[in-house]
Amino acid sequence: MANQAPQQVSLQDEAIANLGTGPIPAGPYYRADYFELEREAVFRRTWLQIAHLSELPEPGSFIVRRVDIARASILITRGRDGQLRAFHNVCTHRGTELVSEEAGRRSLFSCPYHMWTFSDDGELRSAPDFERFYVDKSSCSLPRVAVEVCAGLIFINLDPDTDQSLRDFLGPIAPQLEKLPVARATRFSEYTYEIKANWKLTYDNFQENYHLRFIHPRSGAAAVGSDNPFGYPVKFGFHGPHRTQTIWSNPEAAPKPFQGFAFGKALEAALMDGCEMALAKDYFAIFPNFFMLGSPMTPFSHCVIPIAPDRSRGVIRMYWIGEDRNASQRFAREYQMATARDVHAEDREVIEAGQRGLSSGALSHIHMQEQEVLCRHLFHSVDTMVNAYQAQKLAGGERV
Amino acid sequence: MMGKTTLPEGFSELERFVPDWAVTHSADRAARRLDSTSEEREAFFYAANDLAAPALALLDSKPLAELDEAETRLMQLMLSLAHVALAVEIQGDDESRHAVGARHMTITRASADPR
Ligand code: FES
Ligand SMILES: [Fe+2]
């Protein structure tokens, strides 16, 4: 598989035929009005990856996650019944943010303002001097948010009217994710970065290989070769708004001696964990802003969180099965995290430079070649939702 | 530190690296890499490189929770070596340029971090 030739992108391919070949408007990558549309049309009505089951290990565990683009704070609880639930972290009395911690163990949540107290199933349990109100406690539950899990990954959907299950949303990608280490992970390593760039511009960097040889001459040496000088993938796949690619690796690239030693340790650990290697070269891009690599040795996910039209936050996690079993596995996990971090460290600066250029307004359009088809597909997926949302507004609120 | 043995037998060559590189948290190891000179990194890498296999073999012989102080320090040196190896072996003379971006990648949690 490793020496398969890169895929030629055929415009006859049904999945991408409607993406066209024309230039892409630059505005969506910097304009505040487009970002506002994305807020409503995409992020408030799509499944969003937000956490992992291992963060709520036992009944009574809770986490709080801010979703900046939706201006929301979400409380996720694991009830005494083991059930996962998600709510807006908003007290139903007069709207105060209910929980200020990021995580903990508790089954009652009291609002600091007037001490309304909610249980982990969202019901209002007690409220001081409640006789003086004009409502029933039963109509004061925390606002529910849809929450579902695939492969240990927790997703929420902020659309109160959503009728699409997470499984339906993920389609054929769901069973593949279930085969990855993340599905059995009990812990993770994590690193984050702040970036002065639009979320799509940032995300796009990680779904094209055109830049590899220029930006990662050292850390990406094994990803290019004389047969494939740009390290283009051997395969693309499109599933609704999601996309996949199968990464090429240079069969002739020999690792450096210490690198080879560390990779050996990582491989040994992955095999002992019973990981499948079949999806090791696969990359799963889950719309809108999450992707995951299939490699059991580098089992990382990357979420690009939109903050502002020209600001994002990246969260990279390496999902591990079980505690560090021994010194070799601990060493391998450290080396693999540091390796991925080195690659990501090299991308940030050039993405910000791209944002400065786009934000200047100098360009009305940008160009994408055939091997940047995943970037084109992300733009089209977003733009389709934005257009549908606008059409719906014009039609007077009816969903189209 | 000279003359004092703080590492398991057979690893005295690494004794001089203990003060700088036996570091508890992953984020601090990454920071140490960025704050060190290339001479410091190379001295550590070339001294520790060949000792990594025997060091991990020794440490693998018991559960991580049972490592004594000397073994814990050796483990920490091996974890720092993971970062330093990337600087010396992969980045080489690109390391100082690379460090600019690396400073923005904040390690918030690592499998090896004590909890
Ligand atoms: S706003 Fe929460 S109790 Fe009053
Ligand atoms: Fe890159």
Side-chain angles (χ1 to χ4, degrees):
Chain A
M1 187 169 77
N3 43 16
Q4 227 172 301
Q7 183 182 339
Q8 297 292 316
V9 176
S10 157
L11 296 168
Q12 265 67 61
D13 185 337
E14 233 180 275
I16 53 172
N18 62 349
L19 299 182
T21 55
I24 302 286
Y29 296 87
Y30 70 91
R31 290 178 58 128
D33 54 352
Y34 199 86
F35 189 75
E36 285 304 318
L37 288 166
E38 288 177 334
R39 188 195 305 282
E40 299 304 330
V42 177
F43 288 92
R44 281 204 174 130
R45 50 173 72 186
T46 308
W47 287 98
L48 303 172
Q49 201 283 326
I50 193 160
H52 185 263
L53 274 186
S54 60
E55 294 171 89
L56 296 129
E58 52 203 355
S61 298
F62 75 88
I63 55 171
V64 172
R65 286 296 134 86
R66 191 161 290 286
V67 184
D68 294 80
I69 188 165
R71 300 194 182 99
S73 170
I74 305 299
L75 169 66
I76 304 178
T77 65
R78 188 191 279 280
R80 281 144 299 171
D81 54 0
Q83 193 68 39
L84 219 56
R85 296 180 181 86
F87 309 96
H88 282 281
N89 180 27
V90 175
C91 173
T92 49
H93 173 215
R94 271 165 49 202
T96 305
E97 212 159 77
L98 182 64
V99 185
S100 54
E101 303 105 296
E102 273 183 27
R105 256 204 88 186
R106 193 133 50 81
S107 51
L108 289 176
F109 302 93
S110 295
C111 177
Y113 208 169
H114 315 93
M115 286 309 281
W116 279 30
T117 296
F118 301 85
S119 56
D120 55 20
D121 58 7
E123 277 170 29
L124 177 59
R125 271 301 178 76
S126 63
D129 215 12
F130 195 73
E131 304 75 54
R132 294 184 193 276
F133 280 91
Y134 311 97
V135 284
D136 287 336
K137 281 207 182 92
S138 61
S139 58
C140 296
S141 299
L142 295 175
R144 279 299 268 270
V145 172
V147 60
E148 285 184 42
V149 177
C150 176
L153 297 163
I154 301 175
F155 291 75
I156 57 158
N157 193 323
L158 293 167
D159 182 353
D161 304 322
T162 185
D163 52 6
Q164 184 186 39
S165 71
L166 176 62
R167 294 276 146 176
D168 281 351
F169 173 68
L170 294 173
I173 297 198
Q176 292 186 286
L177 291 179
E178 297 282 10
K179 289 186 198 153
L180 304 183
V182 67
R184 289 190 283 144
T186 54
R187 55 189 338 211
F188 55 87
S189 303
E190 182 188 85
Y191 53 93
T192 65
Y193 63 90
E194 305 290 326
I195 185 165
K196 292 192 197 96
N198 181 268
W199 70 275
K200 297 187 297 306
L201 189 72
T202 306
Y203 191 97
D204 278 354
N205 174 79
F206 304 102
Q207 53 177 353
E208 58 90 348
N209 285 1
Y210 192 22
H211 74 277
L212 288 187
R213 57 186 294 184
F214 310 113
I215 301 301
H216 309 294
R218 313 261 176 153
S219 63
V224 299
S226 53
D227 292 349
N228 187 359
F230 292 95
Y232 293 140
V234 298
K235 205 170 155 207
F236 294 115
F238 302 88
H239 314 281
H242 317 298
R243 62 213 84 90
T244 59
Q245 59 177 321
T246 304
I247 291 162
W248 181 86
S249 50
N250 184 357
E252 274 137 41
K256 297 270 178 30
F258 192 85
Q259 188 182 35
F261 168 74
F263 283 178
K265 293 289 183 191
L267 181 61
E268 209 175 279
L271 293 174
M272 278 170 88
D273 287 334
C275 291
E276 251 195 75
M277 293 294 161
L279 301 174
K281 298 280 177 196
D282 286 346
Y283 160 110
F284 303 92
I286 313 290
F287 184 81
N289 63 337
F290 177 81
F291 71 86
M292 177 105 225
L293 201 67
S295 165
M297 289 153 68
T298 316
F300 81 83
S301 70
H302 191 154
C303 195
V304 180
I305 300 170
I307 307 289
D310 56 358
R311 258 184 61 218
S312 307
R313 177 178 305 123
V315 177
I316 292 102
R317 286 180 168 188
M318 318 269 296
Y319 284 103
W320 308 119
I321 299 167
E323 301 287 308
D324 299 349
R325 179 190 297 114
N326 56 25
S328 283
Q329 186 172 48
R330 177 165 287 180
F331 164 81
R333 287 177 174 181
E334 185 91 357
Y335 187 87
Q336 294 301 84
M337 174 186 65
T339 297
R341 179 173 171 270
D342 264 25
V343 179
H344 290 135
E346 293 168 354
D347 289 305
R348 187 176 165 280
E349 204 180 320
V350 77
I351 302 169
E352 287 194 343
Q355 188 65 51
R356 289 193 297 275
L358 289 171
S359 292
S360 76
L363 301 180
S364 63
H365 287 81
I366 54 176
H367 302 283
M368 290 177 185
Q369 59 126 313
E370 61 155 50
Q371 295 285 335
E372 293 172 299
V373 65
L374 299 187
C375 308
R376 189 181 286 276
H377 183 263
L378 172 61
F379 168 73
H380 274 263
S381 301
V382 170
D383 206 49
T384 301
M385 289 184 82
V386 163
N387 290 334
Y389 171 76
Q390 285 181 306
Q392 178 198 327
K393 270 180 71 177
L394 279 175
E398 277 303 298
R399 281 223 167 167
V400 287
Chain B
M1 280 287 148
M2 271 317 218
K4 203 169 149 220
T5 313
T6 68
L7 291 171
E9 214 185 305
F11 296 94
S12 56
E13 261 174 78
L14 300 181
E15 207 61 64
R16 64 196 168 103
F17 300 106
V18 167
D20 276 350
W21 297 104
V23 176
T24 308
H25 287 91
S26 186
D28 296 330
R29 290 189 278 273
R32 186 74 200 93
R33 166 184 171 186
L34 296 179
D35 295 341
S36 58
T37 64
S38 60
E39 290 76 20
E40 288 172 317
R41 289 189 296 271
E42 280 167 24
F44 178 41
F45 177 72
Y46 290 114
N49 181 17
D50 290 341
L51 290 170
L56 291 177
L58 172 83
L59 298 171
D60 280 347
S61 67
K62 53 159 110 165
L64 285 163
E66 290 169 25
L67 298 185
D68 64 24
E69 277 183 33
E71 290 159 341
T72 300
R73 274 190 286 273
L74 184 61
M75 180 79 240
Q76 290 168 349
L77 286 183
M78 290 303 114
L79 294 171
S80 284
L81 182 61
H83 294 263
V84 168
L86 287 166
V88 176
E89 192 184 51
I90 307 297
Q91 296 295 339
D93 53 16
D94 252 8
E95 173 67 6
S96 58
R97 196 170 61 94
H98 177 86
V100 177
R103 289 182 198 283
H104 293 278
M105 299 285 137
T106 310
I107 298 175
T108 49
R109 194 189 282 220
S111 198
D113 284 350
R115 279 172 297 168

